[in-house]
Amino acid sequence: MGDSQYSFSLTTFSPSGKLVQIEHALTAVGSGQTSLGIKASNGVVIATEKKLPSILVDEASVQKIQHLTPNIGVVYSGMGPDFRVLVRKSRKQAEQYNRLYKEPIPVTQLVRETATVMQEFTQSGGVRPFGVSLLVAGYDDKGPQLYQVDPSGSYFSWKASAMGKNVSNAKTFLEKRYTEDMELDDAIHTAILTLKEGFEGEISSKNIEIGKIGADKIFRVLTPAEIDDYLAEVE
Amino acid sequence: MSIFEYNGSAVVAMVGKNCFAIASDRRLGVQLQTIATDFKRISKIHDRVFIGLSGLATDVQTLYQRLVFRHKLYQVREERDMKPETFASLVSAILYEKRFGPYLCQPVIAGLGEDDKPFICTMDSIGAKELAKDFVVSGTASESLYGACEAMYKPDMEAEELFETISQALLSSVDRDCLSGWGGHVYVVTPTEIKERILKGRMD
């Protein structure tokens, strides 16, 4: 394949017009643990599998869903350490905006800044693209919003989306189940059912993580006890 | 003579009932000589935010150009106008950037915020914000303006009465200051319209 001759350098286009490193980064994302997000009429929910490498790992210390601001949360599929770096940069950008304007950063602006950072790593020397796709969930004056950001730096607003291992099944399931006037609690149930679809093993509050934001504009990661309640309702 | 008094200026803003007024004098001088009698000190940032700048005229013009630049960029990126409080924070940050070589201006910012609530504030030349519920003043005539506004102001005035009050306060104060005057420039802004008026006072 002619493309493989051009996969050594990130900053060189292949003859077919692709940047092969970005394709590889997307493959890294596609083999990461499944995560998904659903935008309801009155909030947004994001969720992810939390499969730990061994039962000896202290699962309470692992937090895959993070805050960027009090009203914006994010989850990822792909490489955890790359996610940590992006979260750190995004939090700093959000706080710089707040310091300048004394106003919380709108979701679209933060997503754009984060995507710009990811794009910079596809056009610089000596660096590689981030091996993560992000799902950003926020609630601001424009209402609930859900964005996906890819390693290339492109971003999309979604009503519902999934990423990672089980992406095609999860998206098909979401397409069937999604309705425009869904409320936040329905969205959480749908998110759990979607995760259950491709789950290997028994789903429980210890191996999934759920974050939600409602009209109160406060992003929260659900406690295991709360997840257990939702799981019980779903059964 | 202080550098703030080189060109001479007077700016005042007042809060009314769901409206505000912002007024300035029109003299541009070089110390004791009057150079122009139509100098623009108040500028519109957008339909609901106005800024009046007193102090050194060159910095008044340059600072205004920088602020318009920042606001236009904000408008295009965020697809919305800046709220007056946000704009005031931006001005404060821009002034503090030059903490050790400041713009020699004192801004007066006036705007209509959420729910048409009027907002006014002033700051010193390095960005120390001062919010007020009634009126704010700045310029070489500021001491007279404080007195005149304190005496003439009352809360919840309608647009026409607010215009009369701010005009009287401005004209009587600049009459006591040799470096400002030569007429007045008043903007009265309500949620539905912007009324711009030129005042003829003592031309001296």
Side-chain angles (χ1 to χ4, degrees), chain A residues 22-143:
Chain A
I22 295 181
E23 305 292 318
H24 294 333
L26 286 164
T27 313
V29 169
S31 51
Q33 289 180 10
T34 313
S35 61
L36 56 92
I38 303 177
K39 182 169 74 172
S41 58
N42 60 341
V44 192
V45 59
I46 48 179
T48 181
E49 286 180 5
K50 194 163 75 167
K51 286 262 180 61
L52 299 165
S54 142
I55 54 164
L56 293 174
V57 174
D58 177 6
E59 75 273 345
S61 70
V62 176
Q63 258 227 337
K64 289 180 72 177
I65 300 186
Q66 295 281 347
H67 285 84
L68 295 179
T69 70
N71 66 324
I72 303 175
V74 65
V75 74
Y76 74 101
S77 280
M79 296 167 70
D82 285 7
F83 174 66
R84 273 204 319 269
V85 167
L86 279 171
V87 163
R88 203 177 152 82
K89 285 190 204 270
S90 302
R91 281 175 175 164
K92 191 170 180 187
Q93 278 160 342
E95 200 45 48
Q96 277 171 343
Y97 182 102
N98 192 18
R99 188 168 168 267
L100 181 60
Y101 295 113
K102 303 285 186 295
E103 208 186 60
I105 188 169
V107 182
T108 25
Q109 302 301 311
L110 185 58
V111 166
R112 232 217 356 255
E113 302 275 330
T114 309
T116 305
V117 167
M118 291 170 87
Q119 193 280 342
E120 278 163 7
F121 279 71
T122 69
Q123 213 179 9
S124 311
V127 298
R128 61 162 176 83
F130 286 97
V132 284
S133 277
L134 304 173
L135 270 175
V136 181
Y139 201 120
D140 62 10
D141 294 336
K142 290 205 183 103

Side-chain angles (χ1 to χ4, degrees), chain A residues 97-110 112-113 140-142, chain B residues 70 74 76-80 82-83 85-87 89-90 93-94 97 114 129:
Chain A
Y97 182 102
N98 192 18
R99 188 168 168 267
L100 181 60
Y101 295 113
K102 303 285 186 295
E103 208 186 60
I105 188 169
V107 182
T108 25
Q109 302 301 311
L110 185 58
R112 232 217 356 255
E113 302 275 330
D140 62 10
D141 294 336
K142 290 205 183 103
Chain B
R70 293 299 295 262
Y74 181 99
V76 160
R77 280 192 182 142
E78 305 219 7
E79 292 170 350
R80 59 176 176 149
M82 254 193 219
K83 293 197 274 238
E85 297 86 352
T86 313
F87 183 68
S89 299
L90 175 66
I94 286 180
E97 267 171 32
E114 311 262 301
K129 247 191 295 183

Side-chain angles (χ1 to χ4, degrees), chain B residues 35-95:
Chain B
I35 305 285
T37 56
D38 58 359
F39 188 68
K40 200 157 104 68
R41 285 201 169 81
I42 298 177
S43 312
K44 185 172 85 159
I45 298 292
H46 63 78
D47 281 344
R48 291 162 69 98
V49 168
F50 281 71
I51 182 165
L53 292 156
S54 69
L56 196 63
T58 177
D59 285 352
V60 163
Q61 290 179 328
T62 303
L63 189 57
Y64 167 64
Q65 285 162 8
R66 273 196 74 183
L67 292 170
V68 158
F69 167 79
R70 293 299 295 262
H71 180 255
K72 279 190 185 165
L73 209 49
Y74 181 99
Q75 255 180 338
V76 160
R77 280 192 182 142
E78 305 219 7
E79 292 170 350
R80 59 176 176 149
D81 286 335
M82 254 193 219
K83 293 197 274 238
E85 297 86 352
T86 313
F87 183 68
S89 299
L90 175 66
V91 176
S92 176
I94 286 180
L95 290 175

Side-chain angles (χ1 to χ4, degrees), chain A residues 2 23 57 96 116 119 138 145 151 192 195 199 203 212 214 225 229:
Chain A
E23 305 292 318
V57 174
Q96 277 171 343
T116 305
Q119 193 280 342
Q145 289 163 78
I192 293 176
L195 276 179
F199 209 87
I203 196 171
K212 70 167 187 184
D229 290 338

Side-chain angles (χ1 to χ4, degrees), chain A residues 144-217:
Chain A
Q145 289 163 78
L146 178 66
Y147 283 91
Q148 178 176 341
V149 193
D150 278 343
S152 59
S154 37
Y155 60 93
F156 316 93
S157 177
W158 289 92
K159 298 176 197 173
S161 180
M163 330 181 289
K165 257 193 223 119
N166 207 25
V167 61
S168 46
N169 282 343
K171 277 198 173 163
T172 320
F173 190 87
L174 284 170
E175 270 170 35
K176 287 202 204 101
R177 285 282 185 133
Y178 182 80
T179 60
E180 293 281 342
D181 50 5
M182 218 180 218
E183 297 226 333
L184 191 54
D185 279 338
D186 298 328
I188 298 178
H189 290 139
T190 309
I192 293 176
L193 287 168
T194 317
L195 276 179
K196 232 176 154 195
E197 276 289 293
F199 209 87
E200 289 159 21
E202 182 77 37
I203 196 171
S204 82
S205 60
K206 287 200 174 51
N207 50 26
I208 61 171
E209 222 175 282
I210 302 181
K212 70 167 187 184
I213 179 164
D216 58 355
K217 294 194 191 162

